[in-house]
Amino acid sequence: MDNKLLKINNGQKIKLADIPHFSFDEFYEEILSLALNDYYIVHYFAYEDKGKIRLVAVLRRKNWLFVGISDTPEKYPALTCKCTKFHMFEREIAEQFAIKPVGHPWLKSVRYHANYLGKEDIFGNDYSEDIPGRYEYYSVEGEEIHEVAVGPVHAGIIEPGHFRFNCAGEKVLHLEIQLGYQHRGIEKQILNANKKQLPVIIESIAGDTAVANSLCFSEAVEALANIQVGMEAKKIRGLALELERIANHIGDLGALSGDIAFLPPASYYGRIRGEFLNMLLAICGNRFGKGLIRPGGIRFSITDKQKEEFVNRIKKLKSEIVHIGDMLFNQAGVLGRFESTGIVGTEIAQQLGLVGPAARASGILYDARYDLPAGVYQEIPLKVVTEHTGDVMARALVRYNEALQSLDIVETLLTELENNNSYKHTEFELEPDNFVVTVHEGWRGELSHCIITDSKGDILRYKIKDPSFHNWMGLAIAMRNEDISDFPLCNKSFNLSYCGFDL
């Protein structure tokens, strides 16, 4: 079908003047038509430029990204009514810029804060009151219906979030998830920070995704500042991203085992997760990879002695991971709990625009490392791991097989690594009036950063999209008609980010 948006590459710098600027009606019809025809939304957000509010849409299809800009009315017919993929994006725009999507089926605040423009609040909230917590929740009526409220404070070390279940007996009819309890205003904070503070703020978006966020940020800055990065630095960046993926996938498999009281894999995988975090620690002094990636390259090299040690350690750990995996995925009790639990079918996953392991477990063939490769991934042959049952078992198997694939990638990169001391401290200046969007496959899925600069080269808008922004609704759908006792298992099989969402 015809596409009027501008086709761009991942990480490609574009002059704002070169991006098609539509009337709102034309923009509305264009992005709606594309979203209904196999295009997926990477970004849909607003920004202020010289007193005018504009909308930006970045869509993807196959190996390309597409971008367009529009002026903005104060209200418009909600796109969500015709295409569910816009659901959270429209709520976020309403919250940040007081632009009302009229008829939105569930228009409520996303993170609970006053809009950026000081306008009257669309949701009728009074932010001088000591909330958060006063929200309208979807309610099911009936004599046998009861509600179960969980959180935002949980009996563990997980982050804050509220889960409201409408149940008939033990059966969950509807789950509503309310986040925003740790909104930090990171996107606004970035606009007021000096350049040396930016990498530290970016690493603090979500501790378990520090490497992926640093990579998206650094590549965006490098594109706008015309900085070239050597292949050896790209290899270490990719290596760190895969270590982050392995540590989290293995940790999740252990946590899933713990949730069904199958403790041997929980213990083994818990210990093995630490081995990969310790490799990051050995490289850069931080178990989450903080301080490793900066615009211009990497700050720490890997010595020949470390390479040999890491390769030997990975070979040993791989055999342990496979051995424990055999134990986990062939145990009758595990199959009984994992199979046919928390199903999200392919059609629903497509309608919601799910990404990452949650999407691939539902049969969606998309991995940003393969479809929109950047950095070292342009050199790595990759097979996208998918399953088709959409249940807890499928999400566990995708994690398991991706972890094994990542082990091979890390071993290959270590073997090929040569002189890797390639970091140069770089004072960067960003090109004025430009736009860039970067996409990487974080361990939870498609992570994307977008930067728009003003006429002086300062950051006019910094937009971050965590994969959890797409996937929290997937968890809510997975719980429909499940026993409420299966919520921990379903929740863990998605393992979504609270702070990455709250921003």
Side-chain angles (χ1 to χ4, degrees):
M1 64 176 297
D2 293 336
N3 181 347
K4 298 176 183 176
L5 305 186
L6 179 67
K7 181 193 286 187
I8 60 173
N9 286 307
N10 183 10
Q12 180 183 358
K13 176 185 65 177
I14 300 290
K15 291 181 180 178
L16 279 173
D18 292 338
I19 299 176
H21 193 131
F22 300 92
S23 68
F24 179 75
D25 288 345
E26 189 179 11
F27 180 75
Y28 181 98
E29 294 298 331
E30 183 67 15
I31 62 174
L32 176 60
S33 174
L34 295 174
L36 290 172
N37 285 279
D38 296 332
Y39 286 71
Y40 286 86
I41 304 166
V42 179
H43 287 286
Y44 179 47
F45 63 87
Y47 72 100
E48 184 177 12
D49 184 15
K50 300 172 184 173
K52 293 186 177 180
I53 307 301
R54 305 190 192 283
L55 284 170
V56 177
V58 180
L59 277 62
R60 65 169 167 83
R61 188 168 188 269
K62 295 183 178 177
N63 305 114
W64 293 97
L65 297 166
F66 303 87
V67 60
I69 293 178
S70 165
D71 290 332
T72 311
E74 291 188 356
K75 58 184 179 180
Y76 65 92
L79 290 157
T80 304
C81 295
K82 300 173 181 176
C83 180
T84 313
K85 295 171 188 172
F86 289 98
H87 169 219
M88 293 301 294
F89 293 99
E90 289 196 310
R91 284 174 56 181
E92 184 184 54
I93 291 170
E95 183 168 51
Q96 294 182 341
F97 288 90
I99 300 166
K100 187 171 185 178
V102 179
H104 191 289
W106 199 238
L107 185 61
K108 59 186 292 187
S109 55
V110 176
R111 305 185 180 99
Y112 204 85
H113 62 80
N115 63 68
Y116 296 164
L117 306 178
K119 290 187 173 181
E120 182 180 353
D121 189 72
I122 280 185
F123 312 103
N125 292 326
D126 180 357
Y127 296 98
S128 65
E129 294 185 11
D130 186 17
I131 341 181
R134 193 173 301 168
Y135 307 100
E136 181 183 4
Y137 285 92
Y138 186 83
S139 182
V140 180
E141 295 183 350
E143 289 186 3
E144 297 182 0
I145 303 299
H146 63 99
E147 290 190 356
V148 178
V150 180
V153 179
H154 298 273
I157 57 171
I158 67 171
E159 297 173 273
H162 181 78
F163 300 86
R164 185 71 62 92
F165 299 87
N166 280 264
C167 301
E170 294 295 313
K171 196 72 71 182
V172 175
L173 303 180
H174 181 78
L175 164 63
E176 184 168 352
I177 301 167
Q178 180 64 50
L179 303 175
Y181 294 91
Q182 52 184 355
H183 174 59
R184 294 150 291 164
I186 285 181
E187 290 178 354
K188 295 288 284 185
Q189 185 183 3
I190 287 172
L191 304 185
N192 299 315
N194 65 51
K195 292 174 183 174
K196 291 183 179 178
Q197 292 173 319
L198 292 178
V200 180
I201 295 172
I202 294 296
E203 289 175 338
S204 302
I205 294 170
D208 58 19
T209 316
V211 173
N213 275 305
S214 296
L215 197 47
C216 281
F217 161 75
S218 295
E219 290 185 355
V221 168
E222 287 155 5
L224 292 174
N226 302 305
I227 298 172
Q228 300 298 317
V229 175
M231 181 51 72
E232 298 307 302
K234 291 179 181 177
K235 288 177 182 175
I236 292 187
R237 287 177 170 189
L239 187 151
L241 187 60
E242 296 308 317
L243 288 177
E244 185 175 78
R245 189 184 324 280
I246 297 167
N248 283 292
H249 279 1
I250 294 297
D252 281 349
L253 291 171
L256 282 166
S257 303
D259 275 348
I260 58 171
F262 188 40
L263 298 184
S267 300
Y268 282 122
Y269 278 152
R271 186 261 299 168
I272 291 173
R273 170 179 177 267
E275 296 274 358
F276 295 101
L277 295 179
N278 287 340
M279 288 186 204
L280 285 170
L281 176 70
I283 295 171
C284 67
N286 184 278
R287 282 160 58 90
F288 297 105
K290 294 182 178 180
L292 175 61
I293 298 172
R294 290 291 183 272
I298 41 93
R299 293 180 63 226
F300 300 91
S301 58
I302 297 177
T303 66
D304 290 340
K305 183 180 178 181
Q306 283 179 315
K307 282 196 295 183
E308 182 179 353
E309 180 189 338
F310 289 166
V311 168
N312 291 334
R313 202 188 303 181
I314 283 171
K315 286 179 178 174
K316 179 175 180 294
L317 289 170
K318 186 174 182 179
S319 67
E320 293 181 15
I321 290 169
V322 171
H323 175 71
I324 299 162
D326 288 342
M327 184 197 310
L328 176 64
F329 292 112
N330 290 294
Q331 210 277 343
V334 173
L335 302 183
R337 291 299 307 279
F338 282 14
E339 289 182 338
S340 301
T341 300
I343 295 174
V344 180
T346 304
E347 185 176 350
I348 295 294
Q350 290 171 334
Q351 290 174 0
L352 295 175
L354 299 190
V355 296
R360 293 190 284 277
S362 295
I364 294 179
L365 192 69
Y366 170 65
D367 184 320
R369 294 174 297 172
Y370 177 84
D371 293 276
L372 298 166
V376 75
Y377 294 102
Q378 293 174 323
E379 310 292 331
I380 296 176
L382 190 81
K383 182 180 179 182
V384 180
V385 175
T386 59
E387 294 288 333
H388 297 275
T389 51
D391 53 9
V392 170
M393 174 61 90
R395 291 187 282 276
L397 282 171
V398 167
R399 281 176 164 75
Y400 176 72
N401 288 314
E402 286 187 354
L404 294 180
Q405 186 182 59
S406 294
L407 285 166
D408 292 338
I409 293 173
V410 171
E411 189 174 349
T412 300
L413 291 174
L414 284 169
T415 304
E416 295 177 350
L417 207 56
E418 297 176 350
N419 178 13
N420 57 81
N421 190 14
S422 59
Y423 174 74
K424 295 178 181 177
H425 179 66
T426 305
E427 296 287 347
F428 58 85
E429 297 293 333
L430 305 181
E431 289 271 357
D433 292 321
N434 267 255
F435 169 97
V436 67
V437 59
T438 54
V439 178
H440 270 283
E441 188 71 20
W443 66 275
R444 286 191 178 94
E446 177 193 271
L447 178 72
S448 182
H449 289 208
C450 181
I451 301 178
I452 299 174
T453 58
D454 63 15
S455 58
K456 298 178 181 177
D458 294 328
I459 298 176
L460 180 64
R461 181 73 160 111
Y462 198 107
K463 191 77 195 77
I464 302 158
K465 197 278 309 284
D466 188 275
S468 301
F469 197 73
H470 295 279
N471 288 357
W472 277 109
M473 184 55 71
L475 170 60
I477 296 298
M479 278 306 298
R480 289 195 175 174
N481 296 314
E482 293 290 339
D483 288 347
I484 194 169
S485 57
D486 279 331
F487 174 67
L489 192 56
C490 291
N491 189 25
K492 191 64 68 181
S493 72
F494 279 83
N495 195 9
L496 302 174
S497 178
Y498 298 71
C499 58
F501 178 95
D502 285 351
L503 295 175

